[in-house]
Amino acid sequence: MPTSRRTFAALAVSALLLPLSACGSGDDGGGPGDASGKIEGDITFQTWNLRANFKDYFDGVIADFEKKHPGTRVKWVDQPAEGYADKISADAAGGTLPDVVNVSPDLVAPLAKAGLALDLDKAAAKYKKEYLAGAWASHQIPGMTGTYAFPWYLNTGPLFYNKSLFKKAGLDPEQPPKTYDDLFADALELAKKSDGKVATLANVPTIEDFGRYGVELMNKQGTAFTFNDAKGIQLLAKYKELYDAKALDPQALTATPESSGKKFLTEAVAMNPGSALDLGNFKKQAPSLYRNIGITDQITSTGHVNMYVMGVMVNSRTKHTAASVAFAHWVTDAEHQMSFAKKVAIFPSTAGSLDDPYFTKEDGTDETRVRVAAAKSLKNAVNYTPVLFSEQMKTALRNEVAKALQGKESAKAALDNAVKACNTLLQQQG
């Protein structure tokens, strides 16, 4: 999704060696790690690039919490998107990690390994049933028992396609590809009919794509990556075929979500992932594209689309565990998630919320069509990106994929090398 919301889930923290220390003052009756004490005390809540657009919303959420729980005070700090992972790393190392922290699954993993993330299966098990099972599981760490953050907002999106480009290639614009075989066949036909001027895809395969294709990404123990299996090799070989035929954009090796979005806007690419936020951009920046926009589901071999998930973690070393757990739950409960989802194109992770008419009733607009379709798909969506897949690992995979597409290595050799590099990095995480 070429939207600002995706950048939250795309950031990752590198392997960290964190001391078992954190900040906090005062004490709950139950002590650190015990959420059964009295809800009181001063706590700090840190978000990730949200103040600029949602100050009034969070001011209200905090004020209502403090009113409900006299004796509590919540200090809200907001960090910029740039360098957020580094900021968390520095705070963890320096013992200044806030009490309640906005995280993504990959950010919580090293904190949980260092003992700095509270295990909610122990401290807040009574709340588990309030959330979608897949969302609750998204902050579990392979090789560890427990859940280390409340699930917060979710995002996913459809595939947009250009009906005009499909029609020019002799393809039925009302029958977009539904399977990977369809996608690859249509992409080759579009490239052939346009003499290589129109690519169907603008991005090389990422770890999420391997997951959607049905590749087993890791072993069940979470001790090794396994995406170099027969299916993984098959997917990369198919992308090589597309690349050679110019059905995959020649600049895909250096593409970003933003650059891919621009290619789609200028009608140089026939398909691109997106979200409801993008429809307004199409209408404003590319009216001719907007008139010919098609909307279809993400293509998967598993029946489960990919989702991005944000979470709210409680610092295990907070001195106000009861207040911190209560506030983290407050921010992520059904009422507050629903009100937040109506302010921005995201989706709640709470059970039952996606059955609200806001997410089930169409009104004839493309915006509601996308929202309803996405909400339906999220009920059994999967966060395919492994929690332990760091930014360094993403780079290693991307580099090897590039070598395969350029013909410098076979698909098998490239994925073997990528898995070897990622497993070495995994062992370094400890």
Side-chain angles (χ1 to χ4, degrees):
M1 290 175 293
T3 71
S4 61
R5 309 310 298 172
R6 180 176 181 173
T7 62
F8 293 151
L11 291 171
V13 68
S14 301
L16 303 173
L17 294 174
L18 304 175
L20 300 183
S21 61
C23 65
S25 59
D27 197 1
D28 284 326
D34 184 352
S36 63
K38 186 177 180 182
I39 299 173
E40 63 180 2
D42 294 359
I43 61 174
T44 300
F45 168 49
Q46 177 172 288
T47 54
W48 186 349
N49 197 31
L50 294 175
R51 185 182 293 272
N53 294 319
F54 306 107
K55 182 179 183 301
D56 290 346
Y57 171 78
F58 285 103
D59 284 345
V61 168
I62 290 167
D64 289 345
F65 179 80
E66 291 175 343
K67 183 177 179 181
K68 182 176 180 180
H69 299 287
T72 62
R73 188 168 62 178
V74 179
K75 178 185 177 183
W76 174 33
V77 296
D78 186 67
Q79 301 292 346
E82 189 73 26
Y84 188 71
D86 293 334
K87 173 64 176 169
I88 288 182
S89 171
D91 283 344
T96 56
L97 196 68
D99 302 278
V100 180
V101 187
N102 178 190
V103 291
S104 55
D106 48 307
L107 292 182
V108 86
L111 299 173
K113 284 188 170 188
L116 293 176
L118 188 67
D119 179 3
L120 300 180
D121 284 343
K122 292 180 179 177
K126 64 182 179 181
Y127 298 128
K128 179 177 180 179
K129 65 182 181 299
E130 297 180 21
Y131 301 88
L132 294 170
W136 184 266
S138 65
H139 291 89
Q140 294 171 353
I141 317 300
M144 297 180 67
T145 57
T147 299
Y148 294 94
F150 284 101
W152 195 8
Y153 55 86
L154 311 175
N155 216 337
T156 190
L159 271 175
F160 292 119
Y161 68 99
N162 188 319
K163 289 184 177 181
S164 177
L165 294 179
F166 270 65
K167 192 173 182 180
K168 286 177 185 175
L171 299 170
D172 186 345
E174 303 306 324
Q175 295 293 325
K178 299 291 186 187
T179 67
Y180 276 99
D181 286 343
D182 291 343
L183 174 64
F184 298 142
D186 286 357
L188 292 171
E189 189 67 14
L190 272 156
K192 180 181 174 183
K193 289 291 176 65
S194 67
D195 293 324
K197 292 185 176 66
V198 176
T200 296
L201 302 174
N203 293 287
V204 299
T206 63
I207 197 71
E208 300 152 13
D209 295 301
F210 285 95
R212 273 192 292 248
Y213 196 66
V215 177
E216 288 293 332
L217 304 178
M218 289 193 86
N219 65 14
K220 292 198 168 26
Q221 296 77 33
T223 57
F225 292 100
T226 58
F227 53 83
N228 58 337
D229 65 7
K231 270 192 175 179
I233 294 166
Q234 183 182 61
L235 179 65
L236 185 52
K238 278 290 186 183
Y239 266 84
K240 165 65 170 164
E241 185 182 350
L242 298 186
Y243 185 74
D244 289 344
K246 295 187 177 178
L248 175 63
D249 185 70
Q251 296 177 332
L253 300 181
T254 56
T256 64
E258 290 72 27
S259 67
S260 301
K262 287 177 183 175
K263 289 266 186 179
F264 186 67
L265 274 176
T266 58
E267 305 192 49
V269 171
M271 302 191 81
N272 203 55
S275 75
L277 290 172
D278 296 307
L279 287 168
N281 293 335
F282 298 155
K283 188 183 292 187
K284 184 177 179 180
Q285 299 176 28
S288 63
L289 170 65
Y290 183 78
R291 285 192 295 271
N292 289 291
I293 202 77
I295 305 170
T296 191
D297 295 332
Q298 287 181 29
I299 294 169
T300 80
S301 295
T302 63
H304 301 278
V305 304
N306 185 64
M307 73 172 173
Y308 303 95
V309 58
M310 275 290 121
V312 177
M313 183 199 93
V314 175
N315 180 349
S316 66
R317 299 297 187 263
T318 177
K319 299 301 183 183
H320 298 295
T321 306
S324 297
V325 168
F327 183 73
H329 173 252
W330 177 262
V331 171
T332 62
D333 69 15
E335 179 184 349
H336 292 106
Q337 287 211 45
M338 195 69 198
S339 62
F340 193 38
K342 289 184 177 180
K343 294 182 178 297
V344 63
I346 55 167
F347 300 87
S349 63
T350 38
S353 296
L354 296 175
D355 295 321
D356 186 279
Y358 183 72
F359 296 112
T360 59
K361 302 293 185 186
E362 293 190 32
D363 60 8
T365 64
D366 287 334
E367 285 80 0
T368 58
R369 180 182 163 196
V370 172
R371 184 167 69 228
V372 168
K376 184 179 179 183
S377 69
L378 276 169
K379 289 185 178 182
N380 67 348
V382 172
N383 179 23
Y384 284 111
T385 302
V387 173
L388 300 175
F389 203 69
S390 69
E391 199 66 31
Q392 289 171 291
M393 295 172 190
K394 292 175 189 175
T395 299
L397 174 58
R398 189 179 184 91
N399 288 343
E400 292 299 330
V401 164
K403 290 176 186 176
L405 296 180
Q406 292 169 325
K408 296 177 181 178
E409 292 177 347
S410 68
K412 182 180 187 306
L415 290 183
D416 284 348
N417 288 337
V419 163
K420 183 179 179 181
C422 290
N423 284 338
T424 297
L425 290 166
L426 183 65
Q427 289 166 7
Q428 290 171 3
Q429 288 182 2

